[in-house]
Amino acid sequence: MIFVNKLKKVNLDEIMVVISGGTPKTKVTNYWNGNIPWLSVKDFKDVQRYVYISEKKITKLGFEKSSTNYLYKGDTIISARGSVGEIAQIPYRMSFNQSCYGLRSTKDVDCNFFFYLIKNTVPKLKNITHGSVFDTITKDSFKKIEVKIPENKLTQKKIAKILSDLDDKIEVNEKINKKLEEMAQAIFKHWFIDFEYPVILDYECETDEELKSELMKYGYKSFGGLPAPEKGKTFVYVLKKNDGSYITGITDFLLKEYNELKKENPKIEKFIYWEKFNSEEEAKKKAEYLRTEEGKNRLEELKTNPKSQKGKMKESKLGKIPEKWEVSKLNELTTLIKRGITPRYDEKGKFIIINQRCIRNNKIFLLNSRRSSKGPNHEKKLCYGDVLINSTGVGTLGRLAQFFMKNEDYTVDSHVTILRPNAKVDFLYFGLAIQNKEEHFKHLAIGTTGQTELGRSAISNLSLLKPRQKIQKDFSNSIFNLKRKIQKNLKENENLSKIRDTLLPKLMSGELSVENLDIDISEGGEEND
C-alpha cells in the first residue's frame, strides 16, 4: 500500500533566499590568508554532503572590501557557473565566490530537508542553464522550478533524518578511511622515504617470533650497520661519548642495548668497537681487557676508524638510497601503459567504464561510471592492482587511484591511462609509490590550456625507487588489512549512496510516506545561525 504525504506546490524562490558571493582583489595581500574560509566549487565538488575545508581563506578586511557574504550552518551552496549543480551543505560560517549561490531556506522549511530538495532538483536546474561560453544558473532560474513540499515541517524533518542518517554513515566511513590511508602512508614514508624499514629484513639469520617482533622496531638507516643477535652469541662493545670517555659492556642484543643506552645517555656518539663471541665468558674476558691500560691504548687506535651503526647508503637519480636498492624507469616495472577505449555508451551494456570523474582522493567511485555495449580488448580489461591516471584536461589531470576489483567487465575510457605492474614489483608497493608521484604527474602535462595531456612517454620515463622484493613483500603484508578495510568501507558507501539516491525522489514526491513513522529527530534540523 502506498501512502502519500500531504504536499503543496511552490516555486523554489518562494521558500528560499538566494545569496551572492564575491572575490576580494587578488593583488591585495592584506585580503588573503586570513581565517575566514572562502569557498569555490572545487572545494565541494564531489563531496558527499558537508564541505569542511576551503583551499583559500580571506581576512576580515578582505571580506569587508568585497561583495562576498557569509553562509551559516545549515545553508546550502550550489555552483552556478561552469560545473553547474554541484552542491554541499555548510557546517559552520563560511564565505564564497561569485561562481556560486548560497541558498537559505525560509523559516517554514527545514534546512536539512531543503538541502535534499535542492539535490533532487539539480537535474531540472541543469536543463534550464544557459550561456554563450559556460552553462550558467541565474537567480531567475529558481523562479522557473516548481517543487512539492510537505506542509508539515515535522514531516520535512523526518524525510531529512532518513536521508541524513545515510549520509552521516557515509561520512563516518570516509573519516575512517582517511585515518586508514594516513596509517598506510605513514608506514610507506617510514620505509621508503625515511628508509627506516625494519632492519631485520636485511639480516640473514634465524629468529624466533619474540625476537623478530623486537627487531621490527629498528630501522635500516639508523641501525642498519649493527649486527643481528644470534643464538648463543655474545657481543662486546665500546661506545664513545662526546666528552671522549667510553662505555664498555657485553650484550646478546647489540641493537637493543644501543637504543636503550642512547635514551639514558644522549652524550653517546657512536660505536668504536664491537666483537662477537661464542660464549659470555669469552666476552667478559675481552671486556675486562679493554678496561685495562693496554686495552684503552688499543681503543685509541680504533678511534680513527669507528664502527658505523647506520645502514650503508649510495647515490642514485633519486638521491641517497639503501645500498642494495635500485632505481628503475616505470616502463621497466609495468606490462602495460596505455589509454582506455572510446566506448559506445549504453546504460544496459555489460561493460562498466571508469572515467575521470570516478577518480578522486586516490579512490575509485563507481557511482560516476557509465556502461557500454562496446567492450575492451583483453589487455584493457582492468586487473586487480592496476593503477589508473587521469591523462587529459584541466583540474582532474594527474589524479590517480588503484583498482581493487576482481571482475573482467571493467575498463577505462580514452582519457585515463592504465598502469599494470609486472612481477618485478609488488602491486601494493607499486600503488603507493605511484600515488606519492601524483603531484609530479600533474606537472608532466603538455599542451595548451584546456587541451593538456599526460603523454605515455612522460609516464614511461618516470624514475621509481625499486627496493628489494623481500622488503616490498613485507611492506605489502603490513598494509594489506588497512587496504582491505578501506575497500570494504568504499563498497558500503556505494551501497548506501545507491539507497539514498533511490529513496530521495520517492520521499520528495510523496510516493513514500513518513508521516506515521516514529523517527527520532531530536538531534537534527538545526537551522542557520
Side-chain angles (χ1 to χ4, degrees):
M1 184 175 181
I2 296 177
F3 296 91
V4 179
N5 296 323
K6 294 178 182 178
L7 304 175
K8 62 178 180 180
K9 292 181 180 180
V10 295
N11 286 341
L12 271 181
D13 67 308
E14 297 176 50
I15 58 170
M16 69 180 186
V17 177
V18 181
I19 305 161
S20 298
T23 303
K25 291 182 179 179
T26 55
K27 293 182 179 179
V28 181
T29 56
N30 289 342
Y31 293 171
W32 297 93
N33 300 316
N35 57 11
I36 300 172
W38 182 79
L39 295 171
S40 67
V41 62
K42 60 184 175 182
D43 293 315
F44 60 89
K45 186 177 181 180
D46 298 326
V47 301
Q48 289 292 341
R49 181 181 177 187
Y50 290 108
V51 53
Y52 292 102
I53 299 172
S54 63
E55 181 182 341
K56 297 179 180 179
K57 293 185 178 182
I58 60 176
T59 63
K60 183 179 179 182
L61 183 63
F63 179 86
E64 292 170 350
K65 295 294 184 181
S66 70
S67 59
T68 190
N69 284 289
Y70 282 129
L71 298 178
Y72 296 94
K73 182 177 180 179
D75 287 344
T76 295
I77 187 169
I78 185 168
S79 58
R81 187 169 180 266
S83 299
V84 167
E86 300 291 340
I87 74 166
Q89 200 167 11
I90 304 299
Y92 42 76
R93 191 183 73 170
M94 293 179 163
S95 63
F96 61 108
N97 75 7
Q98 67 274 12
S99 294
C100 307
Y101 287 126
L103 308 179
R104 182 171 299 152
S105 59
T106 54
K107 291 297 180 183
D108 57 339
V109 179
D110 175 72
C111 64
N112 294 322
F113 170 83
F114 178 76
F115 167 78
Y116 290 107
L117 178 69
I118 296 298
K119 186 180 180 72
N120 191 54
T121 308
V122 163
K124 292 182 181 179
L125 284 167
K126 285 184 174 181
N127 285 337
I128 59 173
T129 58
H130 63 274
S132 57
V133 179
F134 296 105
D135 288 340
T136 304
I137 296 174
T138 66
K139 289 185 178 182
D140 286 339
S141 301
F142 300 108
K143 297 178 182 179
K144 301 174 183 178
I145 302 292
E146 185 180 75
V147 294
K148 297 176 182 179
I149 64 171
E151 294 179 349
N152 188 336
K153 194 171 182 180
L154 182 62
T155 301
Q156 297 174 18
K157 287 177 178 287
K158 287 181 177 182
I159 291 172
K161 186 68 167 62
I162 291 171
L163 297 168
S164 61
D165 280 351
L166 292 167
D167 270 332
D168 288 347
K169 176 57 179 171
I170 290 170
E171 185 172 318
V172 167
N173 283 343
E174 287 189 337
K175 287 179 178 178
I176 292 171
N177 275 2
K178 184 179 179 182
K179 290 292 183 186
L180 294 171
E181 191 62 45
E182 286 172 355
M183 290 167 66
Q185 282 287 350
I187 297 171
F188 181 89
K189 180 179 183 295
H190 193 62
W191 286 39
F192 304 115
I193 296 176
D194 300 333
F195 305 121
E196 294 291 13
Y197 63 89
V199 70
I200 186 178
L201 301 179
D202 271 346
Y203 289 153
E204 301 296 336
C205 63
E206 294 184 11
T207 57
D208 57 33
E209 287 304 311
E210 185 177 350
L211 184 57
K212 181 179 179 181
S213 178
E214 181 65 30
L215 281 166
M216 290 292 286
K217 300 175 183 177
Y218 302 100
Y220 173 82
K221 191 172 182 180
S222 295
F223 299 102
L226 295 177
E230 294 183 46
K231 191 174 182 180
K233 305 291 184 181
T234 304
F235 293 93
V236 171
Y237 64 85
V238 180
L239 286 162
K240 178 180 176 289
K241 295 164 67 175
N242 58 14
D243 60 4
S245 62
Y246 304 124
I247 296 176
T248 303
I250 65 170
T251 182
D252 61 352
F253 197 161
L254 203 58
L255 286 88
K256 189 174 182 180
E257 183 85 352
Y258 174 77
N259 199 41
E260 290 177 353
L261 284 171
K262 184 74 173 174
K263 289 178 182 176
E264 296 171 7
N265 194 336
K267 293 183 178 180
I268 289 174
E269 281 189 345
K270 55 196 169 187
F271 282 101
I272 63 169
Y273 173 80
W274 69 70
E275 188 175 351
K276 182 169 58 180
F277 292 89
N278 292 323
S279 71
E280 188 176 340
E281 194 61 35
E282 289 180 278
K284 284 180 178 178
K285 287 180 180 179
K286 187 58 178 275
E288 289 172 4
Y289 166 74
L290 291 172
R291 293 188 182 102
T292 65
E293 286 302 315
E294 183 181 347
K296 289 178 181 178
N297 289 335
R298 174 63 177 150
L299 291 175
E300 287 297 319
E301 296 174 19
L302 294 171
K303 281 170 62 176
T304 57
N305 187 27
K307 294 274 191 177
S308 173
Q309 56 265 19
K310 294 185 177 181
K312 290 184 179 179
M313 307 289 283
K314 67 179 182 181
E315 292 292 344
S316 77
K317 291 180 181 178
L318 300 177
K320 288 188 175 182
I321 63 173
E323 186 179 40
K324 298 176 183 178
W325 293 15
E326 300 173 6
V327 173
S328 298
K329 288 186 177 180
L330 205 51
N331 60 6
E332 298 169 339
L333 302 175
T334 53
T335 59
L336 181 73
I337 302 178
K338 281 189 178 179
R339 297 272 188 94
I341 68 168
T342 302
R344 186 181 298 119
Y345 288 118
D346 172 4
E347 294 313 309
K348 294 182 180 180
K350 173 185 177 183
F351 300 98
I352 298 171
I353 313 299
I354 293 172
N355 55 57
Q356 289 176 295
R357 287 194 66 206
C358 299
I359 300 170
R360 66 178 191 274
N361 300 327
N362 303 125
K363 304 291 182 298
I364 297 171
F365 296 87
L366 292 175
L367 289 175
N368 291 324
S369 64
R370 298 181 67 182
R371 289 185 173 270
S372 173
S373 54
K374 177 185 176 182
N377 58 33
H378 179 73
E379 70 173 2
K380 291 186 180 181
K381 289 181 178 180
L382 295 183
C383 298
Y384 193 91
D386 284 352
V387 174
L388 314 180
I389 306 180
N390 287 350
S391 299
T392 65
V394 178
T396 64
L397 188 144
R399 286 187 192 173
L400 57 88
Q402 195 161 20
F403 182 77
F404 290 112
M405 281 164 263
K406 295 179 180 178
N407 187 314
E408 292 189 352
D409 293 337
Y410 288 89
T411 189
V412 296
D413 68 18
S414 58
H415 300 287
V416 180
T417 301
I418 306 167
L419 303 185
R420 184 164 298 151
N422 62 26
K424 296 178 183 178
V425 63
D426 178 87
F427 76 96
L428 283 180
Y429 165 75
F430 181 79
L432 276 173
I434 296 295
Q435 185 176 320
N436 276 269
K437 297 286 186 180
E438 188 171 57
E439 287 302 315
H440 184 75
F441 282 122
K442 291 177 182 179
H443 291 98
L444 288 178
I446 58 173
T448 58
T449 303
Q451 296 180 327
T452 53
E453 292 205 11
L454 180 58
R456 183 176 182 273
S457 176
I459 297 173
S460 299
N461 289 318
L462 180 76
S463 293
L464 204 68
L465 189 62
K466 182 174 172 284
R468 294 166 57 214
Q469 285 199 316
K470 179 183 178 183
I471 294 169
Q472 292 182 43
K473 189 63 180 174
D474 265 70
F475 169 74
S476 180
N477 291 338
S478 71
I479 69 164
F480 178 79
N481 284 334
L482 298 177
K483 288 292 186 180
R484 184 172 62 180
K485 289 176 184 175
I486 289 170
Q487 294 307 310
K488 181 182 177 182
N489 288 339
L490 284 173
K491 184 65 177 176
E492 183 177 13
N493 278 1
E494 284 180 13
N495 291 334
L496 290 170
S497 296
K498 287 177 182 177
I499 294 169
R500 179 201 61 204
D501 293 344
T502 300
L503 288 175
L504 178 61
K506 293 181 178 181
L507 289 168
M508 290 299 165
S509 67
E511 181 181 343
L512 294 178
S513 176
V514 299
E515 289 182 341
N516 297 320
L517 296 181
D518 183 17
I519 299 172
D520 181 11
I521 58 172
S522 57
E523 295 181 5
E526 288 190 56
E527 303 292 341
N528 46 59
D529 299 328

